[in-house]
Amino acid sequence: MTSLAALKSVATAVSERDMANAIRALAMDSVQKANSGHPGMPMGMADVATVLFGRFINIDPTTPDWPDRDRFVLSAGHGSMLQYALHCLLGYEDMPIEELQRFRQLGSRTAGHPENGHALGIETTTGPLGQGISTAVGMALAERMLAARHGADLVDHYTYVIAGDGCLQEGISHEAIDLAGHLKLARLIVLWDDNAISIDGPTSLSTSMDQPTRFKAAGWLVQSVDGHDMEAVAAAIETARQSDRPSLIACRTVIGKGAPNLGGSEKTHGAPLGDAEIAATRQNIGWDYAPFEVPDDILSAWRETAERGQAARRAWQQRLAASPRREAFERAIGGRLPDAVFEALAAFRKENAEKATKVATRKASEMALAAINGATELTIGGSADLTHSNLTITKGMDRIAPGDYAGRYIHYGIREHGMAAAMNGIALHGGFVPYGGTFLCFADYARGAIRLSALMSQRVVYVMTHDSIGLGEDGPTHQPIEHLAMLRATPNLNVFRPADIIETAECWELALKSATRPSVLVLSRQNLPMLRQAHSDENRSSRGAYVLREPSAHRAVTLIATGSEVEIAVAAAERLETEHGIAAAVVSMPCWELFEEQDADYRKSVLGSAPRVAVEAAARLGWDRWIGDTGAFVGMTGFGASAPAPDLYRHFDITTEAVAAAALKLII
Ligand SMILES: Cc1ncc(C[n+]2csc(CCOP(=O)(O)OP(=O)(O)O)c2C)c(N)n1
Ligand SMILES: [Mg+2]
């Protein structure tokens, strides 16, 4: 493309409408070429986006990751061509016109939906509707928390969101806007593509919701504008920036705006316009250029707007260089936890190995967290209203409150999905390591955002307690069965189910060290004995599984277990040996994923060649991978029941006797 200097020389009086039409043309042409994609939303929101990016957003395409940039989230991710067109026009080096010509093709940067890490400047992955706006709440909160620590000199930016009808219909949006309104996240500005159309047709097919009233009820400032009236949009954004509350700007738009026959119709939502309609659109909007051609004066106008962000970035860098907080800020934003955290955890393991502490692993987690949180200020805790069950708060953690963001503990409310998305936003924003708790059973409620933590390789730690029928009397509604299988099936997610206080501390260490992978800590409600009395400096959980008990004689059977069932496996091994003279090894397997990553020799040495019995108070699905064709499984085959935990273990036959019997059946 032409250089900026050359472009400037041809810059004439380009209107913002021309700049918006460049987005429209690039979107419809890219979708047409790919024969796939969504032209309606980018065309409908082109005017709003031009005002937002042209006049307000401080981003710098040459330094896309400077920490104090404004964050932009395209929550309506199906409109990805809006973002790609903007990036191309603004001059992101990885988004030349050729990338737009390869929209949605294998290996291109222009993935079907925007993917964080896939192209520069994409702050979060969107596409599953509702996730973007909810993730943005975490970003806006992280901005305030970081500002509270380092001052407005270093942290002073906005989070802008473009959301569609779909994002606002999704249930997660309710959790997110309630939390944002409560916490008075005034730097959050949502531009709603209020086109009253979704895939099936007019939104009146399925909703009568008064969205402005809903947002007002949640404590937001709400404005409504004609989304094609650029001055009105600009005035609304200006007002929103001054507000002391988060803002919704309802932008009334026409989906596919510019297309003379299809504009306003759901037909533009997710299909190419077709050659004839594209030609008619060109005529209608006065776009007399070939596909993918952007005239120099319009390109120049776009590039000039990018200079605003560049200047802001330079000024910020100067402030950082002169700031006494520079080192602390850089450490936080770099995300590297201090060595003191891991030294504290090592000391914790040694001390508790000596004491043989018998606690529930949720309690062990709380104790480990006390050590962690005492050694770093980067961790941000929270729970979805189960703080005293998940045991996620530690001494000296003040709560984050409306208008007061200096604390370290977030009461997320009864909003598992919103909490998970907010944690994604906090992690993506940078400066903090978020962890948050709920019951394992309600991992289902958070699932959409957990999946994105994994897809985006974010260090988010899920503290999921009450991890089996071992929770007892609350019954089958609260007893997870299939959840471990679901979580283990998720790529790039470490699922840790520690067996005692030592493994719990080890798993916490591994979760914190997993800079590019989220973790789920699956923890018991009930007390568990300490199984690893002999202290070793080595983190034995780091290989995913290890031999906890090796018999003196040649192994006749290997018992494999996780979490609370390791105790049962150990008792069964002892019984097999004393009552039947059978040599049984016990393998503790706190993390399948890490074990899978070990070399074949190590795996073989752990699993052995003797028949195997696995025991886990959960669904069998997945265990055949470890027990093989000839193995046996002791666990759950259906839902649980309401009763004291010991009765339930007996009732469902997850006992020492059952494991020993299964082993005997295999080898005799
Ligand atoms: C969670 C989720 N459910 C369903 C979809 C499929 N989907 C993609 S766009 C869309 C309609 C969205 O409507 P709206 O936000 O109004 O977008 P517009 O048609 O106005 O562009 C649906 C149902 C999705 N991407 N995510
Ligand atoms: Mg819509």
Side-chain angles (χ1 to χ4, degrees):
M1 277 195 188
T2 324
S3 76
L4 184 58
L7 285 173
K8 270 185 178 165
S9 66
V10 297
T12 51
V14 169
S15 72
E16 276 183 316
R17 192 74 62 199
D18 294 330
M19 292 168 73
N21 282 339
I23 296 174
R24 290 194 169 90
L26 290 174
M28 67 179 181
D29 288 338
S30 300
V31 171
Q32 188 67 29
K33 184 159 196 303
N35 197 24
S36 169
H38 303 75
M41 185 275 192
M43 295 174 77
M45 284 299 276
D47 298 326
V48 171
T50 299
V51 172
L52 180 63
F53 279 78
R55 300 198 203 180
F56 292 99
I57 279 194
N58 280 328
I59 49 168
D60 178 4
T62 67
T63 316
D65 57 353
W66 64 287
D68 199 33
R69 68 192 182 280
D70 289 334
R71 303 300 195 270
F72 172 69
V73 173
L74 187 72
S75 192
H78 57 279
S80 56
M81 262 318 301
L82 178 70
Q83 189 153 22
Y84 301 144
L86 282 163
H87 283 204
C88 178
L89 293 166
L90 289 166
Y92 280 79
E93 65 172 18
D94 68 341
M95 202 54 72
I97 203 84
E98 291 76 19
E99 281 295 332
L100 272 54
Q101 291 168 332
R102 301 201 295 146
F103 180 47
R104 296 192 149 212
Q105 304 309 304
L106 191 64
S108 74
R109 300 221 178 260
T110 43
H113 293 81
E115 292 180 40
N116 173 253
H118 202 75
L120 298 172
I122 300 201
E123 303 286 2
T124 183
T125 297
T126 54
L129 297 169
Q131 290 292 336
I133 184 173
S134 310
T135 304
V137 170
M139 292 178 180
L141 177 56
E143 191 269 349
R144 285 294 83 195
M145 294 192 298
L146 209 58
R149 286 150 177 79
H150 301 285
D153 220 27
L154 298 186
V155 188
D156 183 12
H157 55 266
Y158 286 86
T159 301
Y160 295 100
V161 178
I162 288 182
D165 300 301
C167 294
L168 302 198
Q169 281 189 26
E170 287 291 350
I172 189 174
S173 77
H174 179 77
E175 302 180 14
I177 71 172
D178 191 1
L179 184 62
H182 172 72
L183 289 175
K184 295 199 182 341
L185 299 178
R187 300 305 189 88
L188 177 63
I189 298 175
V190 175
L191 298 139
W192 167 30
D193 179 15
D194 178 16
N195 61 17
I197 289 284
S198 62
I199 294 180
D200 279 1
T203 50
S204 60
L205 288 172
S206 60
T207 180
S208 304
M209 177 60 71
D210 179 346
Q211 290 289 2
T213 301
R214 184 170 78 110
F215 276 78
K216 276 182 210 156
W220 288 52
L221 174 73
V222 176
Q223 304 174 76
S224 296
V225 297
D226 173 349
H228 304 300
D229 178 342
M230 290 170 149
E231 291 311 322
V233 171
I237 295 175
E238 198 49 64
T239 301
R241 284 162 57 95
Q242 309 308 324
S243 166
D244 59 355
R245 288 170 283 166
S247 279
L248 176 76
I249 304 175
C251 306
R252 179 42 69 104
T253 62
V254 176
I255 191 169
K257 170 85 172 168
N261 305 303
L262 294 179
S265 160
E266 69 273 15
K267 293 201 178 84
T268 67
H269 163 90
L273 298 184
D275 290 332
E277 184 70 356
I278 285 179
T281 305
R282 282 195 144 71
Q283 184 117 44
N284 191 36
I285 64 175
W287 191 261
D288 199 15
Y289 311 103
F292 301 104
E293 181 190 339
V294 180
D296 283 354
D297 56 347
I298 294 177
L299 193 57
S300 167
W302 270 111
R303 297 287 157 95
E304 275 178 34
T305 70
E307 287 178 17
R308 187 187 60 252
Q310 208 161 60
R313 189 260 301 165
R314 283 201 202 96
W316 178 84
Q317 274 173 336
Q318 278 170 9
R319 291 199 300 279
L320 179 69
S323 170
R325 295 212 48 91
R326 177 183 177 155
E327 219 178 290
F329 179 83
E330 285 182 337
R331 224 179 308 124
I333 215 76
R336 202 177 155 269
L337 289 167
D339 294 343
V341 169
F342 304 106
E343 287 158 13
L345 279 174
F348 174 89
R349 283 203 279 127
K350 191 158 193 292
E351 186 191 324
N352 283 292
E354 282 158 11
K355 284 199 220 153
T357 310
K358 177 185 166 121
V359 288
T361 48
R362 65 174 171 146
K363 181 71 186 168
S365 167
E366 178 188 52
M367 293 163 71
L369 272 172
I372 294 162
N373 293 335
T376 178
E377 295 195 336
L378 299 191
T379 42
I380 294 289
S383 166
D385 200 45
L386 287 168
T387 293
H388 302 295
S389 297
N390 303 142
L391 303 180
T392 35
I393 199 165
T394 62
K395 216 173 89 204
M397 276 185 135
D398 293 329
R399 79 183 177 103
I400 305 272
D404 177 3
Y405 310 101
R408 291 178 63 186
Y409 195 81
I410 303 170
H411 291 279
Y412 286 104
I414 307 131
R415 305 184 184 103
E416 296 80 12
H417 206 178
M419 171 177 75
M423 289 202 291
N424 284 339
I426 293 169
L428 286 160
H429 181 278
F432 302 102
V433 180
Y435 68 85
T438 185
F439 291 155
L440 177 61
C441 206
F442 306 135
D444 288 337
Y445 276 47
R447 161 82 184 144
I450 295 174
R451 184 165 195 268
L452 285 185
S453 312
L455 182 58
M456 295 191 287
S457 302
Q458 292 303 304
R459 178 173 47 184
V460 170
V461 186
Y462 294 94
V463 179
M464 299 211 158
T465 67
H466 296 59
D467 71 346
S468 73
I469 53 166
L471 66 84
E473 293 84 344
D474 272 345
T477 54
H478 285 51
Q479 292 161 355
I481 300 292
E482 70 280 27
H483 302 74
L484 282 167
M486 174 273 277
L487 293 166
R488 286 170 177 154
T490 307
N492 196 41
L493 178 67
N494 280 344
V495 182
F496 294 104
R497 190 163 187 254
D500 67 3
I501 188 169
I502 302 301
E503 282 193 7
T504 304
E506 288 177 341
C507 293
W508 257 114
E509 177 183 326
L510 294 165
L512 294 176
K513 284 185 172 167
S514 300
T516 58
R517 194 179 279 186
S519 300
V520 184
L521 293 168
V522 175
L523 304 169
S524 75
R525 172 177 184 262
Q526 71 276 29
N527 283 343
L528 300 176
M530 211 185 70
L531 299 168
R532 281 256 303 277
Q533 265 105 359
H535 171 70
S536 74
D537 286 335
E538 184 202 345
N539 181 333
R540 300 191 72 191
S541 301
S542 68
R543 306 189 83 170
Y546 62 93
V547 181
L548 176 68
R549 178 189 193 276
E550 189 73 86
S552 40
H554 189 68
R555 275 195 217 184
V557 65
T558 300
L559 311 179
I560 312 172
T562 77
S564 43
E565 285 71 68
V566 179
E567 176 188 10
I568 294 172
V570 170
E574 276 157 15
R575 173 174 295 216
L576 285 167
E577 198 154 305
T578 51
E579 292 183 11
H580 303 278
I582 289 171
V586 175
V587 168
S588 178
M589 198 184 254
C591 183
W592 286 20
E593 295 78 16
L594 292 180
F595 187 59
E596 187 83 69
E597 285 171 12
Q598 304 306 308
D599 60 52
D601 284 350
Y602 178 74
R603 289 206 308 261
K604 213 165 141 195
S605 74
V606 171
L607 295 173
S609 49
R612 299 170 205 151
V613 180
V615 51
E616 183 170 70
R620 175 179 182 135
L621 190 70
W623 271 106
D624 293 80
R625 164 82 181 85
W626 306 115
I627 58 181
D629 285 347
T630 54
F633 178 74
V634 175
M636 297 294 291
T637 52
F639 292 115
S642 173
D647 295 350
L648 290 174
Y649 273 88
R650 273 192 299 276
H651 177 73
F652 290 108
D653 219 13
I654 303 174
T655 58
T656 305
E657 297 74 29
V659 174
L664 287 171
K665 210 167 139 195
L666 285 186
I667 55 182
I668 291 177

